């Protein structure tokens, strides 16, 4: 019998998306084929403490894993001679646990922004998802837009980038400059450049609300994007692969709120998702090709979800890319692959194999 792969699943993290990460990790643990892997799980608390835990998925989902008996302090070692993690024993000594591959089920800052990926690259351990450079660039909406614009061929919304220092020096002047950039057209969307799950986003309908929306966004990042409003269907494509990526079928978001903010994504049960079945094959191909183009432009590997608007005119407008999309039971990424014929457990296997294929 072949030796099982030693798989480390990382979850939690110092991020506003900590709870979503826990739910995603619980879902992965419930669907993974455990006969194929020797699974270790490390949870990272909101304070940044790492614990090797054998907590069942239900406790990871509801957050009570932090109090689970037997939790052991653990660290991932960047020294490549170790090849894994150190876990503290009762006698204060540390046991070495070798790791063949890591699945960082982490969302938001310190998880999908290149920081964790950089640590794993230093350690020389293969991991699911894009490398540090691609993760960082894809997390930063301003960098993503600049790279997509430079490459050409993909339509996206007009945007203006504002920096904290300039705004704090002259909030009135910066707000007026934004309005001038858009010729006074409203509404506008204000977004932190580096925050996932629509955290810190506002829709500004009145010019007097713009300054407050900018302040709200600057709570999350030092750089903020202001975008024109694009009216259309919110559609998403899941991409899977390394050198020869594949695009899934197309999904659609029906947000319970005015736009797909954090509450609409994870808390409001009235939000719905569905598989798009009413588009002509040519339009479907255009959207899927655009998703693959963005994926390649950003240098992604493993997986990503690429989001678009489909205007009534038929124009496809790129919105954003997410290199570690949600894996909860309601998340679009696994649902899109399920609808494309790749079941959840098979998807996990594919992602792990892609990580091993890429190496370090």
């Amino acid at each position: 019998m072949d030796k099982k792969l030693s798989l480390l699943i990382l979850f939690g993290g110092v991020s506003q998306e900590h709870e979503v990460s826990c739910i995603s990790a619980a879902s992965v643990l419930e669907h993974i084929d455990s006969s194929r892997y020797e699974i270790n799980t490390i949870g990272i608390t909101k304070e940044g403490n790492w614990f090797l835990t054998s907590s069942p998925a239900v406790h990871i989902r509801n957050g009570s894993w932090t109090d689970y008996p037997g939790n052991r302090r653990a660290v991932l070692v960047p020294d490549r001679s170790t090849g894994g993690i150190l876990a503290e024993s009762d006698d204060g000594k540390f046991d070495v646990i070798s790791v063949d591959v890591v699945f960082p089920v982490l969302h938001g800052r310190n998880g999908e922004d290149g920081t964790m990926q950089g640590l794993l690259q230093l350690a020389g351990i293969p991991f699911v998802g894009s490398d540090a450079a691609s993760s960082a660039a894809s997390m930063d909406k301003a960098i993503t837009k600049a790279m997509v614009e430079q490459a050409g061929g993909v339509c996206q919304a007009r945007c203006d980038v504002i920096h904290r220092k300039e705004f704090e020096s002259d909030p009135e002047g910066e707000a007026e400059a934004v309005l001038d950039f858009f010729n006074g057209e409203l509404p506008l969307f204000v977004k932190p450049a580096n925050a996932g799950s629509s955290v810190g986003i506002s829709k500004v309908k009145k010019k007097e609300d713009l300054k407050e929306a900018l302040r709200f966004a600057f709570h999350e990042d030092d750089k903020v994007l202001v975008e024109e409003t694009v009216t259309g269907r919110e559609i998403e494509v899941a991409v899977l692969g390394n050198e020869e990526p594949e695009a899934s079928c197309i999904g659609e978001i029906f947000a319970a709120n005015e736009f797909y903010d954090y509450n609409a994504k994870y808390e409001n049960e009235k939000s719905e998702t569905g598989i798009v079945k009413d588009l002509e094959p040519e339009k479907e191909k255009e959207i899927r090709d655009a998703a693959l183009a963005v994926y390649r432009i950003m240098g992604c590997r493993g997986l990503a979800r690429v989001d678009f608007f489909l205007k009534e005119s038929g124009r496809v407008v790129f919105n954003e890319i997410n290199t570690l999309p949600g894996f909860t039971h309601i998340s679009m990424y696994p649902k899109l692959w399920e609808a494309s014929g790749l079941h959840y457990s098979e998807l996990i296997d594919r992602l792990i194999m892609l990580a091993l294929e890429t190496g370090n």
Side-chain angles (χ1 to χ4, degrees):
M1 182 177 177
D2 293 338
K3 180 179 178 292
K4 290 183 179 181
L5 279 171
S6 175
L7 171 68
L8 173 62
I9 294 176
L10 292 172
F11 70 90
V14 184
S15 164
Q16 286 203 350
E17 298 174 71
H18 176 97
E19 288 80 7
V20 180
S21 170
C22 292
I23 298 170
S24 288
S27 188
V28 168
L29 287 166
E30 289 167 343
H31 288 88
I32 195 170
D33 181 359
S34 57
S35 68
R36 301 190 60 175
Y37 310 102
E38 192 70 44
I39 301 172
N40 286 293
T41 54
I42 286 183
I44 305 170
T45 69
K46 292 179 180 179
E47 296 74 32
N49 300 316
W50 291 42
F51 291 100
L52 181 68
T53 182
S54 57
S55 174
V58 63
H59 291 168
I60 292 175
R61 177 176 282 107
N62 65 27
S64 62
W65 68 271
T66 55
D67 300 318
Y68 195 73
N71 283 356
R72 303 166 64 186
R73 283 198 171 273
V75 292
L76 192 148
V77 184
D79 183 336
R80 293 193 177 197
S81 66
T82 302
I85 56 179
L86 298 179
E88 188 175 20
S89 301
D90 291 338
D91 59 5
K93 296 180 179 179
F94 284 82
D95 298 323
V96 178
I97 301 174
S98 63
V99 175
D100 295 319
V101 61
V102 176
F103 193 160
V105 190
L106 297 162
H107 309 311
R109 282 188 173 173
N110 304 304
E112 63 178 303
D113 61 356
T115 50
M116 185 62 69
Q117 290 74 17
L119 175 59
L120 292 168
Q121 284 173 226
L122 282 173
I125 303 173
F127 57 92
V128 171
S130 296
D131 64 14
S134 178
S135 297
S138 298
M139 183 73 175
D140 190 310
K141 296 178 179 67
I143 293 175
T144 300
K145 282 188 170 291
M147 291 179 67
V148 172
E149 180 70 24
Q150 178 66 30
V154 178
C155 175
Q156 52 187 345
R158 285 190 305 141
C159 79
D160 194 13
V161 180
I162 314 299
H163 296 270
R164 181 191 299 277
K165 183 178 180 181
E166 286 75 11
F167 177 75
E168 290 181 345
S169 297
D170 184 10
E172 291 284 350
E174 286 296 301
E176 283 299 324
V178 168
L179 291 170
D180 288 344
F181 180 89
F182 291 100
N183 299 315
E185 295 175 8
L186 295 168
L188 298 170
F189 276 97
V190 179
K191 306 177 179 181
N194 286 280
S197 291
S198 302
V199 173
I201 293 182
S202 302
K203 185 176 183 179
V204 177
K205 299 178 181 179
K206 298 183 293 184
K207 64 180 183 179
E208 54 265 32
D209 295 335
L210 179 58
K211 279 192 300 180
E212 187 55 41
L214 288 167
R215 287 195 181 95
F216 180 57
F218 278 123
H219 285 308
E220 305 299 328
D221 196 21
D222 291 330
K223 185 167 54 178
V224 168
L225 272 72
V226 184
E227 290 182 342
E228 67 175 334
T229 296
V230 178
T231 303
R233 297 167 67 176
E234 296 188 51
I235 56 176
E236 302 185 341
V237 179
V239 181
L240 176 69
N242 293 333
E243 297 301 320
E244 298 180 1
E246 307 168 60
S248 72
C249 61
I250 300 167
E252 183 166 7
I253 302 296
F254 304 95
N257 299 342
E258 186 173 4
F259 63 95
Y260 205 40
D261 59 5
Y262 186 94
N263 173 270
K265 284 183 178 180
Y266 301 116
E267 298 171 352
N268 194 326
E269 295 182 356
K270 293 181 180 179
S271 291
E272 296 180 358
T273 60
I275 304 302
V276 174
K277 298 179 179 179
D278 63 338
L279 298 179
E280 294 295 326
E282 295 80 7
K283 184 57 65 176
E284 286 194 12
K285 183 178 185 303
E286 178 188 347
I287 294 167
R288 295 171 75 225
D289 285 350
L292 291 171
V294 172
Y295 190 85
R296 291 189 175 102
I297 290 166
M298 301 310 299
C300 296
R301 71 183 192 191
L303 76 162
R305 194 196 67 236
V306 190
D307 303 346
F308 299 91
F309 295 106
L310 178 59
K311 301 183 72 171
E312 190 174 348
S313 64
R315 192 179 191 190
V316 179
V317 181
F318 168 62
N319 183 22
E320 63 182 30
I321 185 170
N322 188 320
T323 55
L324 278 175
F327 267 79
T328 73
H329 71 288
I330 62 169
S331 295
M332 281 296 281
Y333 190 86
K335 288 180 72 172
L336 285 169
W337 281 116
E338 188 83 29
S340 300
L342 186 63
H343 298 303
Y344 200 130
S345 60
E346 296 171 324
L347 174 60
I348 295 170
D349 290 340
R350 283 281 300 277
L351 288 169
I352 292 169
M353 292 303 106
L354 287 166
L356 292 169
E357 173 187 300
T358 304
N360 309 313

